[in-house]
Amino acid sequence: MPNAAHVSPDEIRKGFSKAMSDMYRDEVPLYGALMELVAEVNARVLDTEPSLAHQLQRTGEIQRLDRERHGAIRLGTAAELATINRLFAVMGMQPVGYYDLTPAGVPVHSTAFRAVHEHALQTSPFRVFTSLLRLELIENPELRAFAETALAKRSIFTPGALALIEQAQNDGGLDAEDAAHFIREALETFRWHHTATVTAAQYQQLSDQHRLIADVVAFKGPHINHLTPRTLDIDQVQAAMPGKGITPKAVIEGPPRRQCPILLRQTSFKALDEAIAFTDAQGSHSARFGEIEQRGVALTPKGRALYDQLLNAARDELGAFPNEGNAARYTQLMEQHFQAFPDNHTQMREQGLAYFRYFVTPKGLAARGHAEQPRTLEALVAAGHVDVEPLVYEDFLPVSAAGIFQSNLGDAAQSHYAAPSNQAAFEQALGRQTIDELKLYAETQQRSMDACLDALLA
Ligand code: OOG
Ligand code: NI
């Protein structure tokens, strides 16, 4: 049972996210430069767009903005996924969503570990996009057997981390000292290794099958491969990157630029090759990259269907994978197709395209108990007694994620897999079901509606 001496899982996650960021900054100097650029742009945007600043103040996002990060790891076995699920649970993170990337030529399926309640997200919105390699997609049976053997031999968690996971599960939590110890031990799983567990030739064979397979199988652990800050204006950061010696990918993934951002826009830049000692020779490997993202309103199933439809239409018309050569045309096609998506919050709300949060206004509080106080939520909104703000999207997008994977693996890594998606196998490996993200947004929206009615009409 949890007891008073236990640190809240949200505080452990906050501490872990900070420790991860410090480790990554030490390991990847460009990350520090990117963080500075994002902080500059965010400060400028808040200065020049008072209405956005007001909105973020209302929702509380302004306080979490500068510690908002997501990372990504790639795992090799079902057992690794099951244990990472238990490790993240100690920090109040649960698997949300199922993403199948095989249709896009990346042999993994994934989930995102994150906090699920708006209060917990407020303390720390740290998320980790976690992929599991689909070894069954390695066609060559000897190579598949080799990969399986190599993965079976490794242990990606420290004995200390395993013991503390067990203890947290049995006792219902960790006290402050154990929590600090847990953070140190858990961090080891995500560390970069300069040595590989295979020979240079074995690495090459794995890499020839797919660069991602080599990245998972040839190393001791699932190094964190990027850590992404949240910007309030991704186009400004993208434009300023070359001035800081950073070359971004040609195309920003996700929806086009809009007045009212929806879902998620992302861009990334390639990391340099890093020296690796194979068991028999020196060589190099590149896995770690940089990424930034801009988050917008979460869409309802209806809004998401419209997003997918417009994105697919633009891509079909482009007739190719977006790249440097067709980037300008892609942007133009996206803007053109997305004209069909209303670009103001009132219309999005009226048409049921997005989720929102409802907040009592001072005017509403002042009118409390008066005979003329409106009696329904819609009437309260119309009278200015309740304000409506967009509910931010906390998740990922499969087409965007595939684009990020591809641009960092190189176009040559594009493969074609006919395998069907397999959520059941993923969840079996995970040891539980993934949570439907749409349900979480609907619940947060409903809680905010109920709170307004309680405060004004109860
Ligand atoms: C994960 C790529 C996906 C995102 O933000 O969509 C991702 C990976 O490369 O392991 O991080
Ligand atoms: Ni990412």
Side-chain angles (χ1 to χ4, degrees):
M1 289 300 287
N3 67 44
H6 288 160
V7 180
S8 104
D10 299 334
E11 289 300 324
I12 302 179
R13 179 174 67 259
K14 189 173 169 183
F16 183 79
S17 167
K18 168 83 169 59
M20 177 85 96
S21 186
D22 291 348
M23 176 176 87
Y24 203 67
R25 195 192 310 255
D26 285 348
E27 290 183 349
V28 183
L30 224 45
Y31 173 67
L34 186 66
M35 295 287 293
E36 277 168 31
L37 180 57
V38 167
E40 271 168 40
V41 168
N42 287 357
R44 193 157 61 228
V45 171
L46 288 173
D47 248 22
T48 51
E49 293 181 44
S51 66
L52 178 63
H54 181 258
Q55 173 197 317
L56 298 176
Q57 225 137 28
R58 243 298 142 60
T59 61
E61 284 161 83
I62 210 155
Q63 283 124 25
R64 65 178 231 191
L65 189 62
D66 62 350
R67 49 171 194 270
E68 188 148 349
R69 308 265 183 286
H70 85 251
I73 53 169
R74 304 153 182 176
L75 302 173
T77 68
E80 290 174 359
L81 184 65
T83 306
I84 210 84
N85 174 57
R86 295 172 61 220
L87 179 142
F88 283 136
V90 176
M91 310 183 216
M93 295 162 82
Q94 298 186 50
V96 180
Y98 171 76
Y99 304 88
D100 181 20
L101 301 184
T102 40
V106 184
V108 302
H109 44 185
S110 319
T111 190
F113 286 93
R114 66 168 177 90
V116 297
H117 191 287
E118 57 275 18
H119 294 159
L121 286 160
Q122 184 63 22
T123 304
S124 169
F126 181 58
R127 331 169 166 81
V128 180
F129 191 89
T130 302
S131 300
L132 177 64
L133 191 59
R134 294 183 69 181
L135 274 180
E136 75 272 19
L137 299 180
I138 301 185
E139 294 131 28
N140 175 337
E142 285 100 59
L143 193 64
R144 187 165 63 234
F146 172 76
E148 278 164 2
T149 312
L151 288 169
K153 275 199 274 198
R154 74 180 190 175
S155 167
I156 65 171
F157 304 98
T158 67
L162 292 172
L164 285 160
I165 293 170
E166 194 74 30
Q167 183 186 324
Q169 267 188 331
N170 290 338
D171 299 354
L174 297 175
D175 68 18
E177 194 183 319
D178 288 337
H181 186 195
F182 170 79
I183 290 173
R184 286 195 302 278
E185 294 286 338
L187 200 59
E188 290 307 307
T189 297
F190 301 86
R191 196 178 284 288
W192 181 256
H193 297 282
H194 297 279
T195 55
T197 56
V198 302
T199 67
Q202 287 163 338
Y203 172 87
Q204 200 49 52
Q205 262 193 307
L206 291 165
S207 180
D208 289 346
Q209 181 70 213
H210 199 295
R211 291 234 343 244
L212 192 99
I213 297 174
D215 182 53
V216 177
V217 175
F219 295 90
K220 264 188 268 190
H223 37 252
I224 183 107
N225 62 42
H226 64 289
L227 207 52
T228 301
R230 173 176 167 192
T231 175
L232 298 175
D233 189 335
I234 198 167
D235 297 288
Q236 275 195 48
V237 179
Q238 171 105 347
M241 276 157 101
K244 302 270 178 182
I246 305 172
T247 312
K249 75 197 273 292
V251 170
I252 294 180
E253 298 290 343
R257 185 177 182 87
R258 300 159 44 92
Q259 291 296 324
C260 298
I262 54 173
L263 298 173
L264 177 65
R265 300 182 73 210
Q266 299 173 298
T267 185
S268 65
F269 57 88
K270 270 181 216 175
L272 290 175
D273 255 14
E274 302 184 75
I276 294 293
F278 294 102
T279 53
D280 61 341
Q282 286 296 318
S284 71
H285 176 63
S286 87
R288 296 194 292 186
F289 59 94
E291 185 192 48
I292 47 167
E293 66 186 19
Q294 180 176 356
R295 292 188 172 266
V297 68
L299 300 184
T300 60
K302 183 180 171 196
R304 180 55 188 267
L306 181 57
Y307 171 79
D308 286 336
Q309 181 200 321
L310 300 175
L311 177 72
N312 289 338
R315 288 197 169 222
D316 284 351
E317 196 173 335
L318 186 72
F321 199 75
N323 59 38
E324 202 153 351
N326 59 25
R329 170 136 177 83
Y330 180 62
T331 304
Q332 183 206 336
L333 285 171
M334 286 291 281
E335 275 165 8
Q336 188 186 313
H337 283 273
F338 272 81
Q339 304 257 316
F341 205 115
D343 195 8
N344 73 71
H345 290 143
T346 307
Q347 278 180 17
M348 280 192 252
R349 196 170 75 86
E350 281 166 3
Q351 295 177 29
L353 295 171
Y355 291 107
F356 292 88
R357 285 171 83 180
Y358 295 78
F359 298 90
V360 169
T361 63
K363 188 176 174 194
L365 280 179
R368 229 188 116 177
H370 290 209
E372 63 277 18
Q373 173 114 28
R375 304 304 295 172
T376 66
L377 187 68
E378 280 313 308
L380 288 164
V381 171
H385 294 196
V386 165
D387 258 2
V388 187
E389 300 291 358
L391 173 55
V392 67
Y393 189 60
E394 305 281 357
D395 293 288
F396 295 86
L397 295 169
V399 174
S400 298
I404 300 283
F405 266 107
Q406 294 295 5
S407 81
N408 292 297
L409 294 167
D411 288 339
Q414 205 152 353
S415 312
H416 294 280
Y417 299 106
S421 115
N422 201 340
Q423 183 164 356
F426 185 83
E427 292 181 340
Q428 170 128 38
L430 184 65
R432 59 165 289 177
Q433 291 190 324
T434 53
I435 298 171
D436 174 9
E437 67 276 16
L438 296 169
K439 178 176 145 277
L440 298 176
Y441 296 117
E443 285 170 2
T444 297
Q445 175 174 275
Q446 190 61 48
R447 275 193 289 268
S448 77
M449 290 172 162
D450 293 347
C452 287
L453 295 177
D454 269 4
L456 296 182
L457 303 183

